[in-house]
Every structure is written in structure tokens, then in C-alpha cells.
Amino acid sequence: MQSISGIWKSSSLLIVALAAMVAFSAPVSAGIIVQGNTRADAETIRSYFTGTSPAEVDKGLEALRESGRFATVSASRKGGDVIIRVTEGNQINRVAIEGNSKVKTENLEPELRTKSRGAFNPQVAEADVARLTEIYRRAGRGAAKVSYRTVELPNGRVDVVFTVVEGSKTGVKEIKFVGNNVYSTRRLVGLMETTEMNFMSFFKTSDVYDPDRIAGDLELVRRFYLKNGYADFRVVSSDAQYDPAQEGYVITIVVEEGPQYHVSSVDVESHLPDIDGASLQDDLRLAPGDVYNGDAVEKTVEALTRQVAKKGYAFTQARPRGERNPAAQTVAIRFVLDEGPRVYIERINIRGNTRTRDYVIRREFDIGEGDAYNRVLIDRAERRLNGLGYFKKVKITNEPGSSPDRVIVNVDVEDQPTGNFGVSGGYSTNQGFIAEVSVSESNFMGRGQAVRLSVQAGQIARGVTFSFTEPYFLDQRISAGIDVFARRQDAYNYSIYSSTSIGGTVRFGIPITDELSLSPRYSIYQTTISIPNSTSKPYNDCTVPTAITPGFSPFFPAPGYPNLFYNCQSNGEASLAIKESQGTIVTSQIGYALNYSTIDNFRNPHNGWLVSFNQDAAGLGGYSRYLRTTGDVRYFHEIPYLDDVVGIARLQGGDLTTFGGYTPRIQDNFNLGPSLVRGFAPGGIGPRDSNIFTTYNSRYGNSLGGSNYVGGSLEVQFPLWGLPKDLGLRGALFADAGSLWNFQGRTNFSNNLPTIPNVTCLAAYTPQAGFGQGTCVVPNSNEFRIRSSVGASVLWNSPMGPIRFDYAVVTSKANTDITQNFRFSGGTNF
């Protein structure tokens, strides 16, 4: 018992001694003492510190420096206290930027940490100088010089003035590719958003050196090679050097192309119960014998992932595996389906969107909070967000959630302007001079809706159009929109009448696959046909004589007028088919469009299909009764072994079928010209009323249009070698062929002779007809007959908009067709 008692006493003494040591070593009262402050409140400074440990003190000092309120900040310890010494320096009255014109002040000010009403800190001001210099470098002004000065004011205040000497533009002088053998440097540079400086630099900013844009360009080049079978392709290095002699950057990109691979086999290997790989063959986008295509592999991964998710395997991801055979230059592709780790999305954080609503971003995800995490679907959402055009950049990252099976998805975006005010103008041989003012917004109020209002005025056409599109109708991936329009066209040179249309369309867009979409629509519009009858345009004076009509004019008072040479048609007259269409009718029609596209680039397609099939049925009320069907198929293919040379094949056709006893009117028919076969005037192909003279060409008669057309075209587009790529000039050679036929309108207007057998109508130019118009329409060239032409074009993607010059030589035509060798069209936005 004594030994146990002794041990207990010894232990108690040891515990007491240890407690005394701890108490002696710890400060009796640890605190934070603030020194040097004259304007700032000491308690406010203390609030930056959460404790007195070294880590907490360092964190508080950094926060004080970041506040920008103090010139210097330091800390020391005295006994148990922490002494915080601050130097407030001069208070900033105002911050100004001078000398800047290329970069707006409102774009520079948010980047400054030197703020008014704060304390002046030379270190912070120097950091601001470096930041402004970097902004100018990214804006293509690498030689810009930035400095600052202070202006002393009473009461210890200063103004801080940043002075900018912008210097000349320092863009990209040259882009070099090293190691490329299959594709030329010109072709690869053509893939990039970055361009080289030239005499067009005044109009563009794409020649500004931007490391982020270069990184994006390298990804475009990589994807291009992978899409064309070069599975081993890699960018070895990318180097940008500023050349003082050239006053610009020289970018050198070293690549390794490797061989082109073909697909030897494609299989789906499923490690999932109840999922047979063979049952998923329809989702494959590649087949044996195809050139290896990285985009097709990516789309197959997405399709397989979505397909197995529908069957209950939400955590499964399809992973491509490629077994290369370098000797045979083939690759065997296996898509492996494995059950992935069971990880759920705890939260999706949307950050950086100052304008775009959160739900506009979230709806681009096929998965949401609480769903199974799937990297394939996350990557797909990132591509969708980048494709919206609402953001300068989109980046999606992950971080661990509250438990090992939870993940937090962070979506960082940066909004960019999406509104546009456009003033456009141009000239075409079809429309004459034309101008348009438009206001559009593709992200209206941050809701992702598109709104556009445009007003058009020109020599021939005038009008106003309002459009509104909701891309996610009823929270589904279905677009819905309306178009309201009012248009007037006075194409007297070609149609000898004026047309006014007022109406609207309700439309929808339903994606079926990534390439195929269905677009149902309903339209109702009112069309008014007017025939002028004035001294300058006496196109109806056979019906309503004017002061210059022979037989009614003081200029032809002698007997014998009218006659064969001077009558109501000799100064121009509209066809009876046009006169029948005078007045106003309402058309109510329902229709749809099927669109299929696999083209690689909508602005400059090189490969792929672009197919459109349209049908409209008029008869849901209104006057017209017809079914109009049109189709347009275009195929683009880059010609092998010829750099940047693209072949284009096109086939188009249409049919108008009436029902309910309806006879088509002039405005219902297809009335075509250079849009079908280049080398012909608008309305220059197809049936014409040969029973009358016209002001356009007295030999041919008014265009009547037809119920059927078909056309084909072959074209080769190529760069104009020796000219800068971004000049935007390309050449083309083409051959067109087509026909418009089958006028089904009314031809007999002898309403006063309904009972006389074998009498169809009275011809014009006869005494019986009074040397007038007669009572019938005589359609010439009403049969199927091929018209054809060959020609050359110059295409200019100019800073003022796309411009095209066509010169065609007609190789076959009908006698009554009207030709037009030269055609020009173009416009601008500024």
C-alpha cells in the first residue's frame, strides 16, 4: 500500500510541475497592438487578424496589403503581444489614365488595384503599371510604355496619373510550321484564328499576338490532323519571339505528323451484364476501311455513353482503345464499356456570369445535381457552352465533395457582349443598291433568347422584319420563334409588277440527332400584286388607257391608230396572267423543314453534306390551295493532293401541286434565274407569255414561272496563290444546268365567249382584237428543256462582308430565255 501511495504522490507532483511550466511559458494576455495609424480605425485593422499564431499573423498581414489602404505593413512580437505597424501614406484623391485611345478607359480601370480614397502604395502602383502593360501586349501593342506619377494635393492627398504611350501595333508578322509535309503551311495557318499582319491590319484584330488564342489554334490544328487520320500527330513545340527588326512576333510551331491510319476493325466490348456489344453497332460512327477520324471517335463515345445510360448504367463510360499497326498503317478500335466509380454530383457551381442567368448555363448539361457523375457528358456540356457565343471562355473543373462518393462541379465563365448594331449596304445585279439597319441580341436579358429587328431599303426592295427565338421552349431542347415581316418589291425590270407581303411565321426547331433536325412551321401572310399604269410605267393601259396610249393619245390623232406597231402593248403591258393576280389574297400554310448537316465548318466548308428538304401545304384557311416541295443537296469534298481546293456538287429541285380545283397564280409559281443556272437574268428561265410585248424585252414576254424545276451544279473553289490568306480572295470554276417548266395557270380569258365551240381565245395584234392584248396567254418554253452554263467566279470574304463576282457563258438556252453574263453581289456590316 505504501508503494502505491508513493507512486501516486510522485505522479501528482509531476503533473503539478508540468502545469506550472506550461503556465509560465504561455503569455498571460496575448493581444494585437496597432501602431502608426492616423486615419484608419485600430479596431478595423485588428479585424484582419483571427489569432496571434505566426500563420494567422501572416495571413492578416497579406490581407492588409491586399486592401491597398496602407503604404507599408509589418509585424513584430513584444512579450505576449503582436505589434502591427502600418504606414498610411498619402490618401488617393483620384486615379486617372491618360494617353490611351486604342484601349478604352472603362476596360482599363477595373484592372487597377490603385483606387481612389485608398492609401497610395508605390509597390501597388508599380504592379498596376505591369498589369496595364500586359493588357496592351494582349491587345497587340507590345511596344506600349506605361508609367505613373503622383500630383501632390493639400491635406496629404495625391492624384495618381497613369500615362500610356501606346506605340504602333505589334502583331504577328509571320507564322511558321516546321515538320509538316502532308499539309502546307498555308493550309494550317488557314485553320487558325490568328492571322499574319498585312495591309488589311487596319480592319482586323486577329493578327494580335494572344497566347490563349494561339493555344486554341494549336488545338484546332491537332483536331484537324486527328480528323484526317493522323492519330500519331503531336505539336512538339510552339515558340513566339518578338522581332524588333520586323516590329512584330514570329511564331514557330514544330509538329510531327506521323502516318495516316485507316480503320481495320471497330468493336464494342461490354463488361456490363445484360448489355451486348453487338447490339450497339448502330451507334458507331466509323466502319472498317474508313480513314481514322478523331471527331467520329468522340461522337461514338458520346452516343454509346448516352445509350447505356438509358439502360440503367449511369456510371458507365465508353472508353476508346486503339491498337495501331504502324507497318500496315491501320488502327483497330475497341470501345470498352466498364462500370465506373459510383460518384454523384453534389453541387454545380456557376461562377463568373455577370449577365447570363444560371439556368441558361445549367440547361446545357444533360446531368444535374444528384445525378451520376459522367465525364463524357460534362465535356459535352463544355463544348455546348463554348458554342453558344455568350462567353469569352468556359472552363469546367471538379473538386472533392463532402464525402468520397461526391464531387463538386465548378463552371467558370466570362460573359462577352452579344448585342449587335449593324448598318449594312451593298449592290447586286438582282436587287440593285440596298441598305439595311439592324439591331440584334443573341442573349436577350441574359436569358439566351435571340431578338432581331431590321429595316431594309433599296432600289427594288424595302421592308421591316422582327424575329424572336426561344432556344429552350417549355424547358426542352426545342427552339421556338416568331417572325413578323412587311416587304415590298418593285422589280419592274424583271416582273413588270410590284408585290407587297405582310405576315408572320411561327416556327420550331427539334433536334433529332446531332446532324439531323426537324423544323415545323406555320405561316400566314397577305400578298398584294399591283400593276402600275402611269406615263413612265403604262403596264395596264390596254385595260385602262392613259394619255399616251395609242388611239387615246394626242400624239397619235391620225386614222389608223392603233395598228400593229403602235398599240397599247408597244409601250409595255402586263400579261393577263399577271392581271389576274392583281389584288390581295391571304395564304395560310403549314410546313416543315428537314435539315441534315455534316459539314466541318459553316463559314468555310471543306468536307461534308448539307441537305435541306422543305414542304409547305397552303389551305388552312386563306385563298391558296397547294403543296410546295423543295429540296437542296450540297456535298463538299476537299480534293486530295491539292492544297485547300474544294469540290462542291449541288442538286436542287421543286414541285408545286395544287388541289381543291385551285389554279396557281403568278405569285405561287417558281420564278427562277441565276439561283438555278448562272448566266441567266432573274426570271429569265422558263415559261413566258409570248402573246405580248414588254418593256424589258419586246421579243420575249413576261415571265410566268413554272410548277417544276430541277438544277445541278459542279464547282471547284481554290485559293488565289500568291495572295495573303486573310485577304479572303478565292477563285472558282463552275458548270450549271437546270430547267424550269410546266406553267399550270389559266390561259383562256375569253369569258365573254363561254358557249362558242372550238373558240379558245383571240390572239393579239389583229383587227378583231383591236391591235390590243387579246384574250389568251401563250406560254412559250413550257416544256422540260435543259439550260446550261459554264463560268468563273471571284469570292472575296472582305472586311465589308462577303462579295462574289460571277461571269457565266450560256451554253444552251431556249429562244425566249433572257441571259445575264455578269452577276455581282455583296454587302457590309460596320
Side-chain angles (χ1 to χ4, degrees):
M1 291 291 294
Q2 288 180 344
S3 62
I4 295 174
S5 176
I7 293 172
W8 171 254
K9 290 180 180 180
S10 299
S11 300
S12 299
L13 291 172
L14 180 61
I15 293 171
V16 171
L18 290 171
M21 291 175 64
V22 171
F24 180 77
S25 62
V28 176
S29 177
I32 296 177
I33 300 174
V34 179
Q35 296 179 352
N37 58 309
T38 58
R39 294 187 297 272
D41 182 61
E43 197 60 38
T44 301
I45 297 174
R46 290 191 188 96
S47 68
Y48 284 84
F49 299 86
T50 58
T52 58
S53 69
E56 291 170 321
V57 170
D58 289 342
K59 186 177 181 180
L61 291 175
E62 183 62 26
L64 279 175
R65 294 188 185 100
E66 289 287 337
S67 71
R69 300 178 59 183
F70 306 99
T72 62
V73 178
S74 62
S76 63
R77 291 183 181 271
K78 184 177 182 181
D81 295 326
V82 177
I83 310 299
I84 305 299
R85 294 183 177 85
V86 298
T87 303
E88 293 182 331
N90 295 323
Q91 186 178 23
I92 298 173
N93 174 64
R94 182 175 65 96
V95 178
I97 302 174
E98 64 180 19
N100 59 306
S101 61
K102 301 301 181 181
V103 182
K104 295 181 180 178
T105 299
E106 53 264 33
N107 294 331
L108 296 175
E109 285 180 336
E111 303 297 328
L112 297 177
R113 290 175 56 192
T114 301
K115 304 289 186 183
S116 60
R117 295 187 297 278
F120 174 70
N121 187 325
Q123 288 78 19
V124 173
E126 289 292 346
D128 286 339
V129 167
R131 193 172 291 107
L132 294 181
T133 302
E134 175 63 16
I135 291 173
Y136 267 92
R137 186 183 69 82
R138 288 180 174 269
R141 302 277 166 175
K145 305 294 183 183
V146 182
S147 61
Y148 81 90
R149 70 178 190 276
T150 59
V151 180
E152 301 291 337
L153 300 173
N155 301 322
R157 296 177 301 134
V158 295
D159 284 344
V160 181
V161 181
F162 291 91
T163 302
V164 181
V165 179
E166 294 181 320
S168 59
K169 183 176 180 179
T170 54
V172 177
K173 281 292 186 179
E174 185 179 5
I175 302 175
K176 299 179 180 179
F177 276 87
V178 178
N180 56 309
N181 298 309
V182 179
Y183 296 104
S184 68
T185 295
R186 179 189 178 98
R187 181 74 176 97
L188 298 180
V189 172
L191 299 171
M192 302 172 65
E193 295 292 333
T194 304
T195 62
E196 297 172 338
M197 294 184 70
N198 52 37
F199 66 92
M200 304 286 293
S201 294
F202 178 81
F203 297 99
K204 62 181 182 177
T205 60
S206 59
D207 57 353
V208 171
Y209 172 66
D210 184 340
D212 293 338
R213 183 160 56 196
I214 292 293
D217 288 336
L218 295 181
E219 177 62 16
L220 292 175
V221 172
R222 188 188 72 85
R223 293 181 69 91
F224 172 75
Y225 269 96
L226 292 180
K227 184 176 181 179
N228 287 279
Y230 295 89
D232 293 335
F233 172 84
R234 70 187 186 99
V235 176
V236 177
S237 65
S238 173
D239 180 60
Q241 295 291 332
Y242 180 76
D243 185 349
Q246 298 189 62
E247 297 183 345
Y249 288 91
V250 176
I251 300 173
T252 304
I253 302 168
V254 181
V255 300
E256 285 185 5
E257 294 177 324
Q260 185 184 54
Y261 286 86
H262 285 72
V263 178
S264 60
S265 63
V266 186
D267 298 301
V268 179
E269 181 181 319
S270 175
H271 298 161
L272 307 174
D274 306 325
I275 299 290
D276 181 16
S279 65
L280 300 172
Q281 293 292 317
D282 290 342
D283 293 300
L284 300 177
R285 304 298 178 89
L286 295 111
D290 290 350
V291 173
Y292 174 82
N293 187 325
D295 284 356
V297 171
E298 190 175 84
K299 290 180 179 180
T300 300
V301 167
E302 291 180 1
L304 292 175
T305 300
R306 292 197 306 269
Q307 192 65 27
V308 297
K310 293 177 182 178
K311 298 183 179 181
Y313 293 91
F315 299 97
T316 297
Q317 296 183 15
R319 303 183 186 278
R321 299 285 186 268
E323 297 179 5
R324 294 179 176 84
N325 183 343
Q329 296 183 1
T330 60
V331 56
I333 303 174
R334 286 183 301 116
F335 294 93
V336 181
L337 303 178
D338 283 314
E339 185 73 12
R342 292 184 172 272
V343 179
Y344 296 88
I345 298 175
E346 180 176 320
R347 190 169 65 253
I348 298 178
N349 295 327
I350 310 295
R351 304 185 300 204
N353 54 316
T354 57
R355 181 167 176 269
T356 304
R357 312 291 178 96
D358 276 13
Y359 72 84
V360 173
I361 299 173
R362 292 180 185 275
R363 69 192 184 189
E364 298 300 327
F365 287 80
D366 292 328
I367 51 179
E369 294 165 341
D371 290 342
Y373 177 81
N374 191 305
R375 186 67 216 179
V376 173
L377 300 182
I378 294 293
D379 291 342
R380 189 184 195 204
E382 185 171 1
R383 288 194 299 273
R384 284 176 175 171
L385 289 170
N386 277 307
L388 290 176
Y390 304 161
F391 311 107
K392 290 182 180 178
K393 61 180 180 180
V394 178
K395 186 177 182 181
I396 300 180
T397 56
N398 304 327
E399 64 181 55
S402 58
S403 62
D405 64 343
R406 295 290 186 271
V407 65
I408 297 173
V409 177
N410 296 317
V411 184
D412 293 289
V413 301
E414 182 181 348
D415 282 300
Q416 68 178 356
T418 53
N420 179 64
F421 173 76
V423 180
S424 61
Y427 175 82
S428 75
T429 46
N430 291 6
Q431 298 291 330
F433 289 100
I434 193 168
E436 181 181 77
V437 177
S438 65
V439 179
S440 63
E441 172 58 66
S442 60
N443 188 14
F444 183 63
M445 299 181 67
R447 301 174 184 271
Q449 299 162 334
V451 180
R452 187 175 191 271
L453 175 66
S454 65
V455 178
Q456 185 185 75
Q459 288 180 287
I460 293 175
R462 297 173 294 281
V464 59
T465 303
F466 173 78
S467 299
F468 175 83
T469 302
E470 167 57 64
Y472 273 78
F473 184 60
L474 300 177
D475 293 326
Q476 301 295 317
R477 197 175 291 278
I478 298 174
S479 66
I482 59 171
D483 302 302
V484 181
F485 60 87
R487 305 188 189 103
R488 179 179 174 87
Q489 184 162 328
D490 299 327
Y492 299 125
N493 282 349
Y494 303 115
S495 63
I496 213 166
Y497 62 87
S498 66
S499 172
T500 302
S501 298
I502 301 173
T505 299
V506 178
R507 50 186 164 74
F508 299 90
I510 305 171
I512 301 173
T513 67
D514 289 340
E515 295 83 16
L516 182 65
S517 64
L518 172 67
S519 303
R521 57 181 176 255
Y522 169 74
S523 301
I524 183 169
Y525 55 91
Q526 173 183 288
T527 304
T528 301
I529 299 294
S530 301
I531 303 174
N533 195 33
S534 62
T535 55
S536 60
K537 298 181 179 67
Y539 302 153
N540 197 21
D541 64 342
C542 284
T543 305
V544 182
T546 68
I548 65 169
T549 303
F552 296 87
S553 167
F555 299 105
F556 303 102
Y561 292 98
N563 59 36
L564 182 60
F565 301 101
Y566 296 102
N567 56 65
C568 62
Q569 291 196 91
S570 59
N571 53 19
E573 189 72 9
S575 168
L576 291 172
I578 297 175
K579 292 181 178 181
E580 181 193 32
S581 299
Q582 278 190 106
T584 299
I585 64 171
V586 174
T587 301
S588 173
Q589 65 184 31
I590 189 170
Y592 69 91
L594 272 174
N595 297 298
Y596 176 78
S597 174
T598 62
I599 59 175
D600 52 357
N601 187 310
F602 277 95
R603 290 183 300 175
N604 186 22
H606 279 63
N607 291 283
W609 291 87
L610 188 61
V611 182
S612 177
F613 180 79
N614 294 266
Q615 280 194 312
D616 290 286
L620 298 177
Y623 182 82
S624 304
R625 299 286 188 273
Y626 58 75
L627 175 67
R628 178 185 284 118
T629 304
T630 61
D632 193 336
V633 180
R634 305 187 196 201
Y635 176 64
F636 300 83
H637 185 72
E638 192 167 10
I639 299 177
Y641 311 113
L642 295 177
D643 184 34
D644 199 17
V645 177
V646 181
I648 306 169
R650 182 183 184 188
L651 181 66
Q652 57 178 317
D655 174 79
L656 181 74
T657 301
T658 62
F659 56 86
Y662 177 72
T663 300
R665 295 191 166 216
I666 201 81
Q667 61 265 48
D668 300 324
N669 294 327
F670 300 113
N671 207 315
L672 304 174
S675 61
L676 185 66
V677 180
R678 282 164 284 195
F680 290 85
I685 295 176
R688 314 188 74 82
D689 186 0
S690 62
N691 198 33
I692 61 167
F693 290 107
T694 70
T695 53
Y696 179 68
N697 192 313
S698 61
R699 289 173 45 204
Y700 301 137
N702 292 159
S703 173
L704 299 174
S707 299
N708 303 95
Y709 74 90
V710 66
S713 176
L714 294 175
E715 182 169 320
V716 177
Q717 294 183 2
F718 48 86
L720 296 177
W721 291 276
L723 296 177
K725 181 266 303 184
D726 56 352
L727 183 59
L729 279 172
R730 291 176 65 83
L733 299 174
F734 62 82
D736 295 345
S739 181
L740 172 66
W741 73 101
N742 195 18
F743 171 75
Q744 299 184 46
R746 184 182 174 195
T747 59
N748 186 354
F749 292 85
S750 301
N751 295 331
N752 59 332
L753 303 170
T755 60
I756 301 177
N758 301 321
V759 174
T760 55
C761 61
L762 294 176
Y765 320 134
T766 64
Q768 292 85 355
F771 294 104
Q773 188 168 16
T775 59
C776 62
V777 171
V778 181
N780 271 354
S781 304
N782 201 29
E783 71 285 351
F784 176 84
R785 180 172 179 175
I786 291 293
R787 282 81 165 175
S788 60
S789 68
V790 295
S793 305
V794 175
L795 295 76
W796 186 21
N797 188 19
S798 75
M800 299 178 294
I803 296 175
R804 179 167 184 141
F805 304 86
D806 294 321
Y807 186 83
V809 177
V810 172
T811 54
S812 64
K813 61 183 282 292
N815 291 333
T816 56
D817 290 339
I818 302 174
T819 61
Q820 181 188 73
N821 299 107
F822 178 73
R823 186 177 180 226
F824 161 77
S825 62
T828 180
N829 282 312
F830 50 90

